[in-house]
Amino acid sequence: MKVLVIYTDINVRGGALSYQFGIGQLSAVLKKHGHEVRLHHMFGQYDVEPLRVALADYAPDVVAFSIVYPQYRFVRQILRELSPWKAFTVAGGAHPTVFPACLEEIPELNAICIGEGEYPLLELVEALRDGRPVDSIPSLWVRTPGGSIVRNETRPFIANLDELPPMDREICDYQAIIDSDFKTATFQFGRGCPFDCTYCSNHIICRRQKGPYVRFRSVDLCLEEIRQVTTRYRVGNLYLNDDTFMVKKSWFEEFCDKYPRQFSLPILVNARPEQINEEVCQRLAQAHCTRVTMGIEHGNEKYRAEVLRRRMTNESIVKAFKLCRDYGFKTKSHNLVGLPDETPELHQDTVRLNAEIYPDSFNLHIFEPYPGTHLGDRCEQEGLIDPRRRDLVFVGQTDTILKMPQFTRSQILRCFRRFPYEVYKKHSLVKAIPYLIYYSRYGEKIIRMIQPIKRFIRKFAMGV
């Protein structure tokens, strides 16, 4: 059977390519069982014509979409624009899992997958191959020929990730992805997150299937994957993209012990501030860590705990960033602006905290209300979503669709654009000014124009 996987990356910030772990794993499972898989990556601007050509050339039996909420509108447009479909159409990913009602909104979709998709998709493809019914496959919601929807129960989470084959990186131009992000190869060794942040989909996804949600592959298999990637591709850094890299202490310690015995490439990791201590930093240093990224999200301790459910103190955040600097790690902070109940004055707490910790780099995103999440549903219920802006197309997380009298759109955009200057102005104008340009109204156009010298600018401004 021939499967075409479509992933849209429309209007993403910065212009960097990305590797989709879920698609890589799905493809690996299908190929292991003798099926043919191709990827159509719609990157940059929306243009359906190359996809139309790919469909005619490949003639797939199944077309599978992987959807995150910001890209949902584009997938919906593709399905309608290219209808009628000769292939069986199915969608999976975070958005259908968190908001399965999307199947009712798109009549051109034959099915959606709720939760982990490796085995449901495999079972679907093989049932179609053999001419068997597909409306009783666990984890699939299937539209019948009569138009009704069969909502099957989900199967348990995959308990042993080691049973999955290595991710398929040949499905895309993986070297181009590495090159687009400063020679960085990305890895994801685990699944799931134990935290319940209200703006994130994890607190919903963890309830969609039974069994342990947070799982890791064995360290030895992770190291073997690193070996395969670094042997095949030209790599300068490894970004271990797990949000929960340090959650399982025994796994983390084993990785940090074994990695430097086999590899010398620097690693970049994610952490939560409350996970950082002397012992952790010592182990990270042993494992050639050069950068730690931590989510702050908001600088007001009370707001952060009550609205976002991120229960950490500002003191622990300041201490974590200082400790990382003491060990020679670069630091990066993640932040949000334009949240429900936020005001311009509250946002200044985020500015002040970042100015105090002085990260080497940062991300600031304008909040997006994901349907199905706690904070997304609250925005819907309280009428905070501006119906005139709901379906507007803009570069992701650089504008707001909320209508809040205490924090207007113009105020949110001003806070977003002024953030880097306010954070760095007392420390370094060398950092403040390039960031100010990037976060300006014309930042995206400028960044795309200077792609050939982007590496130099990044090193000059951020030291990475």
Side-chain angles (χ1 to χ4, degrees):
M1 292 286 281
K2 295 194 293 185
V3 179
L4 179 67
V5 181
I6 299 173
Y7 187 78
T8 60
D9 243 344
I10 310 300
N11 285 5
V12 294
R13 285 181 68 191
L17 299 169
S18 60
Y19 177 69
Q20 301 302 319
F21 300 106
I23 291 174
Q25 194 65 79
L26 289 170
S27 177
V29 170
L30 289 171
K31 287 182 176 180
K32 179 182 177 181
H33 287 82
H35 302 288
E36 185 179 339
V37 186
R38 287 188 187 178
L39 172 66
H40 183 86
H41 186 188
M42 190 180 290
F43 182 77
Q45 300 298 313
Y46 180 87
D47 183 0
V48 79
E49 291 310 311
L51 175 56
R52 196 188 302 274
V53 172
L55 287 166
D57 174 64
Y58 187 46
D61 303 294
V62 176
V63 174
F65 294 85
S66 181
I67 312 176
V68 292
Y69 170 64
Q71 298 292 315
Y72 174 58
R73 68 191 68 184
F74 302 116
V75 172
R76 187 173 55 192
Q77 185 175 345
I78 289 169
L79 281 159
R80 291 175 179 172
E81 193 169 341
L82 296 184
S83 181
W85 291 78
K86 297 179 181 179
F88 188 96
T89 56
V90 58
H95 184 62
T97 298
V98 173
F99 190 68
C102 67
L103 181 58
E104 300 170 10
E105 299 178 351
I106 311 180
E108 295 83 4
L109 262 181
N110 297 122
I112 60 170
C113 178
I114 311 295
E116 294 177 327
E118 287 84 2
Y119 296 128
L121 183 58
L122 175 63
E123 195 171 334
L124 170 68
V125 168
E126 300 199 329
L128 290 169
R129 178 196 61 191
D130 299 338
R132 292 183 281 109
V134 300
D135 57 3
S136 62
I137 297 174
S139 296
L140 293 188
W141 286 17
V142 182
R143 192 188 310 278
T144 67
S148 62
I149 295 174
V150 178
R151 296 167 171 83
N152 295 300
E153 294 292 321
T154 56
R155 64 193 72 205
F157 287 113
I158 299 170
N160 179 16
L161 298 184
D162 282 3
E163 72 185 42
L164 297 171
M167 293 183 189
D168 178 14
R169 295 175 193 258
E170 296 180 18
I171 196 173
C172 57
D173 186 348
Y174 191 64
Q175 186 63 58
I177 293 174
I178 293 172
D179 294 343
S180 76
D181 194 21
F182 309 98
K183 297 295 182 184
T184 302
T186 56
F187 296 84
Q188 186 169 297
F189 296 139
R191 291 186 179 182
C193 176
F195 304 105
D196 61 346
C197 304
T198 57
Y199 54 88
C200 177
S201 59
N202 272 299
H203 67 281
I204 304 299
I205 295 174
C206 70
R207 298 181 177 91
R208 290 294 191 242
Q209 297 173 258
K210 296 180 180 179
Y213 182 45
V214 179
R215 297 141 293 153
F216 285 88
R217 295 169 61 202
S218 65
V219 168
D220 288 339
L221 276 185
C222 296
L223 295 174
E224 179 57 30
E225 181 181 356
I226 291 173
R227 180 172 292 103
Q228 291 175 4
V229 171
T230 55
T231 299
R232 182 174 180 83
Y233 302 99
R234 300 182 302 278
V235 178
N237 308 279
L238 309 181
Y239 178 26
L240 312 186
N241 195 32
D242 293 275
D243 292 332
T244 54
F245 182 65
M246 301 172 190
V247 163
K248 188 175 180 182
K249 185 179 179 182
S250 60
W251 187 96
F252 168 71
E253 292 178 349
E254 182 183 354
F255 182 90
C256 290
D257 286 341
K258 290 184 174 180
Y259 176 81
R261 300 176 193 170
Q262 303 180 40
F263 304 97
S264 59
L265 286 170
I267 64 171
L268 321 173
V269 303
N270 300 321
R272 284 174 64 104
E274 67 268 35
Q275 295 173 328
I276 299 296
N277 55 43
E278 287 278 358
E279 180 186 356
V280 164
C281 286
Q282 289 170 3
R283 290 188 177 276
L284 288 174
Q286 171 190 348
H288 312 309
C289 179
T290 58
R291 191 188 74 189
V292 179
T293 299
M294 289 177 273
I296 295 174
E297 312 310 353
H298 203 280
N300 184 283
E301 199 171 292
K302 184 174 184 291
Y303 181 94
R304 190 171 58 238
E306 294 180 356
V307 178
L308 306 183
R309 292 184 191 160
R310 290 183 65 86
R311 303 170 186 90
M312 60 189 73
T313 65
N314 281 358
E315 181 183 1
S316 70
I317 293 172
V318 172
K319 181 179 178 181
F321 276 81
K322 180 180 184 304
L323 198 53
C324 286
R325 283 199 305 273
D326 290 345
Y327 274 83
F329 309 145
K330 301 291 185 182
T331 58
K332 184 175 184 177
S333 71
H334 280 295
N335 307 272
L336 290 168
V337 65
L339 291 149
D341 295 336
E342 194 179 16
T343 65
E345 292 73 27
L346 266 178
H347 170 70
Q348 288 306 307
D349 289 341
T350 307
V351 173
R352 282 187 285 268
L353 183 56
N354 274 269
E356 183 176 359
I357 63 174
Y358 188 39
D360 292 281
S361 57
F362 74 90
N363 275 335
L364 177 66
H365 299 302
I366 294 179
F367 167 69
E368 289 182 317
Y370 295 165
T373 63
H374 178 81
L375 214 52
D377 286 350
R378 180 188 158 189
C379 290
E380 194 74 56
Q381 292 160 9
E382 295 182 5
L384 300 180
I385 298 176
D386 187 343
R388 299 169 302 174
R389 299 188 58 78
R390 185 190 291 270
D391 291 322
L392 288 183
V393 176
F394 49 81
V395 174
Q397 299 176 319
T398 63
D399 206 337
T400 182
I401 64 170
L402 299 190
K403 185 178 182 180
M404 302 185 293
Q406 86 289 351
F407 202 5
T408 65
R409 175 174 176 258
S410 62
Q411 290 173 321
I412 291 171
L413 293 179
R414 176 175 172 78
C415 288
F416 175 75
R417 292 166 182 163
R418 294 284 300 176
F419 184 82
Y421 183 73
E422 297 299 327
V423 168
Y424 289 127
K425 63 182 180 181
K426 292 183 180 179
H427 298 285
S428 171
L429 289 177
V430 170
K431 284 184 178 294
I433 292 174
Y435 264 127
L436 191 63
I437 294 171
Y438 178 49
Y439 277 81
S440 72
R441 183 190 305 270
Y442 306 105
E444 278 300 312
K445 292 182 180 179
I446 294 171
I447 288 296
R448 295 179 193 280
M449 288 171 57
I450 63 173
Q451 281 292 338
I453 58 171
K454 185 178 174 183
R455 177 185 296 276
F456 171 77
I457 293 174
R458 174 166 163 167
K459 187 171 184 65
F460 183 64
M462 308 175 208
V464 290

